[in-house]
Amino acid sequence: MSLELVVAAVMFTGVLAYAVLGGADFGSGFFDLTAGGDREGAALRTRIDHSIGPVWEANHVWLIFVLVTWWSAFPRAFAAAMDTLILPLLLALLGIVLRGSAFAFRKYAATLGQARFFGVVFAGSSLVTPFFLGATAGAIASGRVPLDGRDGVWSSWLTPTSVIGGLVAVGTCIFLAGCFLVADARRGGEDELAETLRRRTLVVGLVTGLVVFAGLLPLRADAPTLWDGLTGRALPLVLVAFVAGLATLGLLLVRRYALARLTAVVAVASVVSGWGVGQLPWLLVDEVTVADAAGATATLQGLLVAFGLAAVLVLPPLVYLLRLTQTEQWSRPSH
Amino acid sequence: MEPVLTTLAPFLTTLAADVAEPAGLLPARQQMALSLGWHIVLACFGVALPTIIAVVHWRGAFRGDQGALLLAKRWGKVSAVLFAIGAVSGTVLGFEMGLLWPGLMGTFGDVVGLAFAFEGLSFFVEAIFLGMYLYAWGRMDPRHQFWMLVPMAVSGISGTFFILSVNAWMNAPVGFDIVDGEVVNIDPWAVFTNDQVWMQFLHMWLAAFMVAGFAVAAVYAAGMLKGRRDRHHRLGFMVPFAFATVAALMQPFVGHLLGLRVAETQPAKLAAFELALETESPSPLRLGGIVVDGEVVGSIDIPVLGSVIARNSFTEPVQGLDTIPVEDQPPVNVVHLAFQTMIGIGSLFVLVVLAYWGARWRGRDLLENRWFLRAVVACAPLSVVALQAGWIATEVGRQPWVVYGVMRTNEAAGDNPGLWWLLGATTVVYTGLTIGAVLVLRSMARRWRDGEEDLPSPYGPEPGDAEVEPAGTGAAR
């Protein structure tokens, strides 16, 4: 594999990590929003706070990782995407800002009224953000980001592919969050809550599956290059996504939550990698390939050093943190 | 900060009047001033608070001082809020680098990218250990928990270094050649060893401890002014004040060394700092004053001192602005006033901390003195003003260059007039965030004063109602 392809692969690993780990955080917003009134929703909202509180900031850094790698390794393509996709990116950014701050504010809000307000902002922006990030991906994947000159500030992303991308992102986030929360609730001994979440996650899973697979059809006309990739090179991943998605629903039905969490991650990771593999070798589809977009070789090599350091310095504590949150002790509520 | 921006605007518009100016330039500048100016305050807490908390946590965990441990827990909760909005406003800057300055990132992204990557690494480490530290209360031995603060403090240092290396690179660009308009021979590692990086890093690192130290100390000074004179308040004051003291005393030396470099590397910036319109040898130190129609008005001139401070010499002059082509001159008034604001406040800090430790050495406790406590309370907002003034001085002083001597700021900006909308929206959002943060931090302080240690679950039912703790169901396991 060439140097630039290795860097692109690591960058895409960041996209995957963000989609899975950050996605589960974002999806919690849906359950928070639909938890019900103050009293009946309290248990679920407390559960969500416990589940994502320790990790959301770390999970958020994957996005920064992807941005930084993108502008260092492929600077011109980065500038082009930022220029054309300014609107969906800004709307996603607005969601990110409101979500992170409202989540922190709600935890220490002065009154129930304030907590309710911050809660709605948190939950609402948790749904807005993945939609616009998905729409951004859709614009790139359907070849609507020119390398030179800003074009189609609206038309580049108000397209079938972008809307499907947005819906797929929102759906997969909610599905993941549901699977994680069910398992957390069970481990925390909240069996009644787990039952509620299980039912909702099953519905979400069915709807998301429909969106993902029905959403493939319009791509044929709207994003032919991506369609060719998805039905060719990336077909195995599409099939894995299908099987893992079905398996997750089955495992939820029989209440095997720990395993369902794993298959849900596989399903979502395959959907996202299907997109990545499907659009290869393009970085910006039909505009510039990964190889042609690459910046200075010395920088790509430097990034490899940074990735190596990350593997040594970041991954072990991250795994430790994620493991801590999955222990019995960290699952029980505190103050 | 808003008033600063509005006063800045007319100066900035006149800046590149005779050069073709892209529509995105002015809004991009204002946007950057707003979002960076807002983020940098939070960044100070992100950099300095882990170290300050570590001191009280260590006392609590290893010396059995329960009061100190309580402070650590409370400061940890405060930092959770500040870090959260610091993280999101930092992300905003990540996006803005590309959205506002496509010319800069498209051309030099792969030169400075590595520095950003390492800064991202530092932030990653800090975010991970922050999650562990905050949620470890009651779940981890405090002595074990202490070690979570160490990587946070270290990554605060490394993060400051890496992000400052990018700014230092903009002042003294290295690591590339330009051949026929193309950026070639890129060495991304050179960014870490440019001429300015160590001094700029030290300057900012100390500033972070001044802001965080004075801010926390001011909270407890205000409490003492209201008659709350227990050990809790004394300890809560002393630890951050000690950090602020060291930083305030070291800062003038670091600033001086940094200033000496400016004479060689960016003479136009130094001339604006010192309000030197013409080269005079030796140069005077000008206190106050502005330039009106090419003349300095209203300044107090102290002979020779300008040369001593800026050049470490009794004879060497400060090179005047008249030696710089007009199109390469920064807006002199903004730079001069911002620079002197920073120095003035910094000198005041030296007096405040020397007064306290001097009195203490002679057996007097200034914490009994209401005027001293008031002065410390005033130091908190003043430290933020000094921080902003310092950044305005160095950033506006570098104009019209974004990358000194290589790329002008108007070449870095995009041609997007829609950015004005973005600026308006950002102002609204950041105002909202500021209000939210103040509300929440005040509510935390009030609850703690009322003796509520474990804040009630904010998700309802109303505090006071018989609460059905989810833990109750856990017993059925």
Side-chain angles (χ1 to χ4, degrees):
Chain A
M1 217 167 12
S2 62
L3 183 59
E4 55 269 15
L5 216 54
V6 172
V7 172
V10 178
M11 177 169 121
F12 195 76
T13 310
V15 175
L16 266 180
Y18 188 57
V20 170
L21 297 169
D25 293 354
F26 278 108
S28 307
F30 170 80
F31 294 98
D32 202 286
L33 203 61
T34 54
D38 301 324
R39 191 172 294 272
E40 64 267 31
L44 179 50
R45 295 199 174 98
T46 308
R47 165 55 48 206
I48 288 168
D49 185 70
H50 282 296
S51 297
I52 71 174
V55 293
W56 79 266
E57 236 162 335
N59 289 343
H60 163 83
V61 185
W62 288 110
L63 174 68
I64 297 173
F65 169 86
V66 172
L67 281 181
V68 168
T69 310
W70 192 2
W71 85 44
S72 316
F74 311 103
R76 267 187 71 209
F78 172 78
M82 284 282 164
D83 214 14
T84 292
L85 296 174
I86 184 165
L87 287 175
L89 283 171
L90 282 177
L91 290 168
L93 183 60
L94 178 70
I96 288 168
V97 170
L98 292 180
R99 169 179 172 273
S101 47
F103 179 71
F105 291 165
R106 176 172 79 167
K107 193 167 169 55
Y108 302 108
T111 62
L112 188 59
Q114 273 180 25
R116 209 180 277 146
F117 171 75
F118 290 133
V120 170
V121 174
F122 157 70
S125 49
S126 296
L127 294 178
V128 166
T129 306
F131 178 83
F132 286 111
L133 289 177
T136 301
I140 292 172
S142 58
R144 289 188 168 89
V145 178
L147 190 58
D148 289 302
R150 176 158 25 94
D151 187 30
V153 172
W154 293 95
S155 61
S156 59
W157 60 284
L158 287 175
T159 65
T161 309
S162 276
V163 172
I164 290 164
L167 292 178
V168 167
V170 175
T172 51
C173 286
I174 300 174
F175 182 54
L176 273 175
C179 294
F180 276 78
L181 287 171
V182 172
D184 285 357
R186 156 79 72 79
R187 208 180 33 250
E190 298 166 286
D191 292 332
E192 203 181 319
L193 184 62
E195 268 315 295
T196 317
L197 282 167
R198 170 174 165 268
R199 277 193 303 275
R200 291 184 192 173
T201 307
L202 276 169
V203 176
V204 166
L206 275 175
V207 175
T208 304
L210 276 176
V211 169
V212 167
F213 290 100
L216 287 176
L217 299 176
L219 296 187
R220 185 171 193 168
D222 195 53
T225 308
L226 180 65
W227 168 264
D228 287 348
L230 283 173
T231 50
R233 192 180 321 103
L235 192 61
L237 287 165
V238 177
L239 295 176
V240 169
F242 184 73
V243 173
L246 272 186
T248 310
L249 294 179
L251 289 165
L252 283 173
L253 272 174
V254 298
R255 298 185 176 77
R256 298 284 304 275
Y257 301 143
L259 211 53
R261 210 172 37 184
L262 201 70
T263 51
V265 168
V266 172
V268 173
S270 326
V271 170
V272 178
S273 352
W275 152 50
V277 173
Q279 75 162 55
L280 275 179
W282 300 105
L283 185 70
L284 301 177
V285 169
D286 299 337
E287 284 288 331
V288 63
T289 61
V290 169
D292 291 338
T297 307
T299 305
L300 296 177
Q301 290 163 344
L303 282 171
L304 289 186
V305 176
F307 297 155
L309 277 174
V312 176
L313 295 175
V314 172
L315 285 188
L318 183 65
V319 170
Y320 181 55
L321 173 66
L322 293 174
R323 279 185 61 102
L324 271 182
T325 61
Q326 301 300 313
T327 60
E328 191 91 26
Q329 203 180 16
W330 282 60
S331 291
R332 71 175 152 74
S334 77
H335 18 77
Chain B
M1 210 174 55
E2 288 311 298
V4 177
L5 290 179
T6 34
T7 43
L8 224 59
F11 293 110
L12 294 175
T13 27
T14 55
L15 195 68
D18 51 349
V19 201
E21 190 175 286
L25 178 62
L26 187 55
R29 277 200 157 125
Q30 306 285 22
Q31 176 84 17
M32 209 64 191
L34 171 64
S35 47
L36 199 51
W38 202 83
H39 175 75
I40 195 95
V41 180
L42 295 162
C44 286
F45 288 94
V47 168
L49 265 187
T51 312
I52 297 177
I53 295 174
V55 171
V56 284
H57 193 107
W58 184 80
R59 275 183 76 107
F62 293 98
R63 292 218 198 143
D65 182 341
Q66 287 306 311
L69 210 52
L70 182 66
L71 276 175
K73 191 172 181 178
R74 290 180 176 179
W75 291 351
K77 287 187 174 178
V78 169
S79 68
V81 173
L82 296 178
F83 287 13
I85 48 183
V88 294
S89 59
T91 310
V92 170
L93 290 168
F95 275 89
E96 282 178 353
M97 293 303 288
L99 292 173
L100 305 177
W101 310 111
L104 176 65
M105 295 319 283
T107 315
F108 292 110
D110 51 358
V111 184
V112 290
L114 206 52
F116 282 109
F118 280 107
E119 198 267 340
L121 266 180
S122 306
F123 181 62
F124 222 145
V125 171
E126 185 158 5
I128 291 168
F129 283 95
L130 173 72
M132 287 191 217
Y133 180 74
L134 289 178
Y135 280 78
W137 293 104
R139 296 177 168 123
M140 202 186 261
D141 181 328
R143 275 172 288 188
H144 182 185
Q145 190 188 5
F146 170 80
W147 296 104
M148 307 296 123
L149 287 163
V150 175
M152 287 174 68
V154 172
S155 50
I157 296 173
S158 59
T160 311
F161 176 82
F162 291 125
I163 205 71
L164 261 295
S165 72
V166 176
N167 187 264
W169 173 86
M170 290 160 78
N171 282 316
V174 285
F176 63 93
D177 293 314
I178 292 187
V179 178
D180 300 331
E182 289 286 311
V183 179
V184 293
N185 299 333
I186 290 172
D187 173 13
W189 300 96
V191 172
F192 303 128
T193 55
N194 77 67
D195 278 352
Q196 302 254 345
V197 65
W198 281 102
M199 285 298 148
Q200 270 199 238
F201 154 71
L202 266 179
H203 199 48
M204 182 60 219
W205 193 49
L206 292 173
F209 276 93
M210 289 165 82
V211 169
F214 278 124
V216 180
V219 170
Y220 292 90
M224 286 190 255
L225 275 171
K226 288 181 182 159
R228 289 187 276 273
R229 294 187 166 275
D230 43 18
R231 181 176 174 279
H232 178 78
H233 277 77
R234 282 193 79 91
L235 187 62
F237 175 87
M238 284 311 301
V239 173
F241 188 73
F243 276 103
T245 298
V246 175
L249 293 179
M250 283 176 68
Q251 193 68 295
F253 295 101
V254 174
H256 177 61
L257 292 177
L258 196 56
L260 292 179
R261 288 274 173 82
V262 177
E264 295 149 31
T265 55
Q266 292 182 18
K269 183 186 275 185
L270 182 68
F273 280 176
E274 303 293 339
L275 213 57
L277 299 187
E278 287 151 24
T279 311
E280 297 172 60
S281 30
S283 297
L285 178 70
R286 292 212 162 84
L287 295 177
I290 54 167
V291 176
V292 180
D293 297 333
E295 299 282 332
V296 176
V297 182
S299 71
I300 302 167
D301 291 8
I302 304 170
V304 191
L305 202 56
S307 287
V308 174
I309 290 177
R311 305 296 313 270
N312 249 4
S313 153
F314 288 104
T315 50
E316 294 277 331
V318 172
Q319 190 181 334
L321 271 181
D322 56 351
T323 60
I324 317 272
V326 177
E327 68 270 18
D328 289 347
Q329 292 182 8
V332 56
N333 285 330
V334 182
V335 179
H336 173 66
L337 291 177
F339 180 72
Q340 292 217 323
T341 304
M342 172 186 77
I343 304 265
I345 295 173
S347 312
L348 195 72
F349 288 162
V350 172
L351 292 180
V352 170
V353 299
L354 283 182
Y356 176 80
W357 296 104
R360 188 169 152 135
W361 182 55
R362 300 185 57 177
R364 276 197 59 206
D365 183 7
L366 280 188
L367 293 186
E368 300 298 327
N369 182 308
R370 297 187 69 79
W371 282 107
F372 175 75
L373 291 175
R374 286 187 190 121
V376 173
V377 172
C379 283
L382 282 177
S383 67
V384 174
V385 174
L387 174 79
Q388 304 288 0
W391 276 108
I392 289 171
T394 187
E395 291 300 282
V396 182
R398 196 185 56 242
Q399 300 306 320
W401 303 101
V402 65
V403 182
Y404 187 73
V406 177
M407 180 181 260
R408 284 174 187 269
T409 311
N410 59 13
E411 297 171 83
D415 199 11
N416 190 349
L419 290 180
W420 283 111
W421 288 101
L422 176 61
L423 180 61
T426 311
T427 310
V428 172
V429 171
Y430 275 31
T431 307
L433 287 191
T434 310
I435 294 170
V438 170
L439 271 179
V440 167
L441 292 175
R442 284 177 66 109
S443 130
M444 287 162 92
R446 195 176 54 243
R447 287 177 175 187
W448 283 329
R449 274 203 303 279
D450 295 344
E452 267 182 76
E453 205 46 54
D454 297 332
L455 306 178
S457 164
Y459 316 113
E462 289 279 9
D465 281 14
E467 208 171 316
V468 188
E469 263 288 308
T473 53
R477 270 198 299 268

